[in-house]
Amino acid sequence: MGEITEAASAVVVAMGIVVGAATLAATRRPMAALAVLLDFLAAAGLLHLAADPTYLRALSAAIVLGIRHLITWSLQTGSRAAMMPPGPRDTG
């Protein structure tokens, strides 16, 4: 079973690179492409962790998930700021 999840993990990483590049080409937004790539890397990390659970693999999966959450938060915060109307200008 471990060989299957290891192979699936490698396939998911390759798919993440392809889909991340396609997202970058389609949207021209590097942060969005990075978020997509990190989703795939998180899935690959969890598959990798399922194959042979060790503390190092759990730590690497946790780091990828933490980075993914920070980027998602950053994207959401940035989109809210872009949607807000400009404030009053100080003409001094």
Side-chain angles (χ1 to χ4, degrees), residues 36-78:
V36 169
L37 175 63
L38 285 173
D39 278 342
F40 278 88
L41 292 179
L46 293 175
L47 281 170
H48 200 67
L49 180 62
D52 181 28
T54 64
Y55 288 113
L56 184 59
R57 289 184 178 189
L59 179 62
S60 66
I63 289 170
V64 169
L65 290 172
I67 292 170
R68 174 63 179 108
H69 281 289
L70 285 173
I71 288 175
T72 301
W73 175 78
S74 173
L75 287 171
Q76 289 173 349
T77 304

